Amino acid sequence: MKLGTRGRYAVMAMVDLAESSHKGPVPLSEIANRQEISLSYLEQLFGKLRQQGLVQSVRGSTGGYILPRSASLISVADIVSAADKPFKATRCSSSKQEGCLQSKSRCKVHHLWEELGSQINGFLQSISLQDVLENKIQK
């Protein structure tokens, strides 16, 4: 299991934005340079983040992106789910009725993987951008 590149890069960029937002709108080119992420890739990610209301764009010569609300109110899970597919540990379809086996039943370990996915999502939901900025993530 691994978190997709889009989700990881989106979190990196959002942390960078939160850290720099006290200066006003932050151009994506600055985030791209600091985080060593392709500008065109960031533009795609920020389009998705903007659609979900996690960032706002500011036009003009001093434009860029800002956070629409406090970093303490934006969870890592919100960012990951906006930028990437939701984290899923099972191989079953999204339908709650059907399992992954040919018979459409669930395998014996379905609930194990489903609970793992739930724990991961719960953990990411409990961490805000502010927590990351303040290094409040427990080891």
Side-chain angles (χ1 to χ4, degrees):
M1 271 179 263
K2 69 183 206 182
L3 182 60
T5 303
R6 283 186 290 246
R8 284 185 321 198
Y9 283 2
V11 172
M12 290 168 58
M14 287 289 287
V15 169
D16 188 297
L17 176 62
E19 191 170 45
S20 304
S21 63
H22 65 281
K23 301 172 188 172
V26 181
L28 280 185
S29 59
E30 290 181 10
I31 296 172
N33 286 335
R34 285 191 294 263
Q35 298 303 318
E36 300 177 358
I37 300 171
S38 159
L39 178 58
S40 61
Y41 196 72
L42 270 186
E43 288 169 345
Q44 293 173 19
L45 287 176
F46 270 67
K48 292 180 178 192
L49 296 169
R50 188 175 41 79
Q51 287 174 346
Q52 295 300 314
L54 296 174
V55 297
Q56 286 181 339
S57 61
V58 177
R59 294 179 183 235
S61 61
T62 59
Y65 283 87
I66 59 171
L67 296 178
R69 58 186 181 271
S70 168
S72 64
L73 299 176
I74 300 173
S75 77
V76 172
D78 294 337
I79 299 165
V80 171
S81 65
D84 210 345
K85 298 173 193 168
F87 183 84
K88 187 178 131 191
T90 66
R91 68 178 184 176
C92 297
S93 68
S94 57
S95 167
K96 293 284 184 184
Q97 307 298 356
E98 295 182 1
C100 58
L101 301 176
Q102 272 186 333
S103 66
K104 304 290 185 201
S105 62
R106 293 181 175 162
C107 62
K108 295 287 185 194
V109 294
H110 174 86
H111 296 296
L112 170 69
W113 301 133
E114 189 172 54
E115 181 60 23
L116 174 63
S118 177
Q119 292 290 326
I120 290 169
N121 287 324
F123 173 73
L124 295 177
Q125 191 65 48
S126 74
I127 305 294
S128 71
L129 278 179
Q130 192 65 41
D131 293 334
V132 177
L133 287 173
E134 294 175 1
N135 202 23
K136 289 185 177 178
I137 293 50
Q138 294 185 359
K139 295 180 183 181

